[in-house]
């Protein structure tokens, strides 16, 4: 038989469907294509006996599990009841221990609180001392400034000596600022310093200037 005939026969057997080399589901064998599975015959007596045994087994299993659960719960409750029973002397002993522990705790807390308060008081005292020292230094500085101002009070210009200070400034010598300062701080003046003769103020010159201003002004009124 040639390869073509084998290929055609294979396609005819598979119903013209392609067949994988390693299929996930193998096709049914040719010998089992027309085979129909018949139900297994059941013996009525055997079936009834098996059902009875199964029912008895489930009842016994559930009863045993519930019995075990009850025993565990009973033992637990008995242990709790025993632990709850407390005699009068045991209760008094525990009360005394509790009160003693409370007293010790209160003493420890009181000592700790006193230490904390002492530390806070010391810190506050240090801050107050520093503040007072700063205030003292500041007040001394103010007093020194006031003393210096009091010493310079004679040179200050007030309403009383205003005219005198103005006359003093107007009659003061002319200051020559035509000089330089070298890197060593020496003052070097020019070869020809400013020369200006002093001239005393004359009242006649002032009167002449006032008369000339009145004559030049068009709105001036002569009395």
């Amino acid at each position: 038989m040639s390869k073509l005939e084998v290929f055609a026969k294979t396609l005819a057997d598979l119903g013209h469907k392609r067949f994988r080399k390693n299929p996930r589901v193998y096709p049914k064998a040719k010998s089992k294509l027309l085979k129909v599975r018949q139900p297994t015959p059941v013996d009525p007596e055997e079936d009834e006996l098996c059902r009875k045994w199964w029912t008895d087994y489930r009842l016994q299993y559930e009863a045993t599990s519930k019995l075990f659960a009850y025993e565990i719960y009973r033992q637990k409750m008995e242990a709790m009841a025993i632990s709850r029973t407390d005699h009068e002397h045991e209760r008094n002993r525990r009360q005394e221990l509790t009160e003693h522990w409370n007293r010790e705790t209160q003493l420890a807390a009181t000592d700790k609180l006193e230490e904390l308060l002492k530390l806070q008081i010391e810190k506050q005292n240090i801050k107050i001392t520093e503040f007072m020292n700063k205030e003292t230094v500041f007040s001394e500085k103010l007093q020194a400034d006031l003393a210096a101002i009091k010493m310079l009070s004679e040179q200050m210009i007030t309403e009383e000596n205003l005219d005198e200070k103005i006359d003093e400034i107007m009659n003061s010598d002319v200051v020559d600022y035509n000089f330089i300062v070298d890197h060593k701080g020496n003052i070097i003046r020019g070869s020809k310093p400013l020369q200006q003769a002093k001239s005393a103020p004359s009242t006649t010159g002032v009167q002449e200037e006032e008369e000339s201003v009145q004559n030049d002004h068009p709105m001036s009124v002569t009395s």
Side-chain angles (χ1 to χ4, degrees):
M1 184 181 292
S2 63
K3 293 183 179 180
L4 182 59
E5 293 176 353
V6 173
F7 180 71
K9 186 175 183 300
T10 305
L11 288 178
D13 294 339
L14 295 176
H16 303 285
K17 292 183 181 179
R18 296 187 63 182
F19 178 71
R20 295 181 58 181
K21 184 176 181 181
N22 295 319
R24 295 185 179 89
V25 179
Y26 287 92
K28 188 179 287 188
K30 295 179 181 180
S31 60
K32 296 181 180 180
L33 288 174
L34 301 177
K35 184 178 180 181
V36 179
R37 185 179 181 281
Q38 297 296 330
T40 304
V42 179
D43 188 3
E45 295 180 359
E46 183 181 356
D47 182 59
E48 184 180 358
L49 185 60
C50 288
R51 290 179 182 275
K52 183 180 178 181
W53 286 351
W54 174 251
T55 304
D56 295 341
Y57 166 74
R58 292 302 305 173
L59 290 173
Q60 293 175 8
Y61 177 80
E62 291 179 1
T64 306
S65 62
K66 289 182 179 180
L67 179 62
F68 286 160
Y70 172 75
E71 288 294 331
I72 293 171
Y73 178 74
R74 184 179 61 79
Q75 293 177 5
K76 183 178 179 181
M77 295 302 295
E78 288 179 357
M80 291 176 64
I82 292 171
S83 63
R84 289 176 181 174
T85 56
D86 190 5
H87 301 287
E88 188 67 23
H89 63 86
E90 183 67 18
R91 187 180 296 106
N92 295 334
R93 186 182 66 83
R94 293 178 182 178
Q95 183 69 21
E96 291 177 359
L97 288 175
T98 303
E99 292 178 355
H100 180 67
W101 182 81
N102 289 336
R103 286 193 295 270
E104 290 181 352
T105 306
Q106 185 177 4
L107 291 174
T110 304
D111 296 339
K112 188 67 175 178
L113 182 60
E114 289 179 355
E115 292 179 0
L116 291 175
L117 289 175
K118 288 180 180 178
L119 290 175
Q120 292 293 332
I121 291 170
E122 290 178 359
K123 290 181 180 179
Q124 194 68 20
N125 291 333
I126 291 171
K127 289 182 180 180
I128 292 172
T129 305
E130 292 178 354
F131 177 76
M132 295 299 294
N133 293 334
K134 289 181 180 179
E135 289 294 324
T136 304
V137 172
F138 184 68
S139 62
E140 291 177 355
K141 184 179 179 182
L142 288 178
Q143 291 177 2
D145 294 341
L146 289 174
I149 293 171
K150 188 175 181 180
M151 292 175 63
L152 297 174
S153 61
E154 298 178 356
Q155 301 178 4
M156 292 183 179
I157 299 175
T158 60
E159 294 181 357
E160 298 175 356
N161 60 357
L162 181 60
D163 296 334
E164 296 178 0
K165 292 294 181 181
I166 291 174
D167 294 339
E168 183 179 353
I169 292 169
M170 296 299 294
N171 298 329
S172 61
D173 297 335
V174 178
V175 180
D176 183 13
Y177 291 100
N178 189 17
F179 61 87
I180 60 175
V181 180
D182 60 0
H183 64 281
K184 294 183 179 179
N186 300 323
I187 296 175
I188 302 173
R189 298 184 180 276
S191 59
K192 295 181 179 180
L194 180 63
Q195 298 292 336
Q196 185 174 358
K198 294 183 180 180
S199 60
S202 60
T203 56
T204 57
V206 175
Q207 292 178 358
E208 291 176 357
E209 289 180 358
E210 291 179 354
E211 291 177 357
S212 63
V213 170
Q214 290 179 0
N215 294 329
D216 295 338
H217 201 281
M219 298 298 293
S220 62
V221 179
T222 58
S223 57

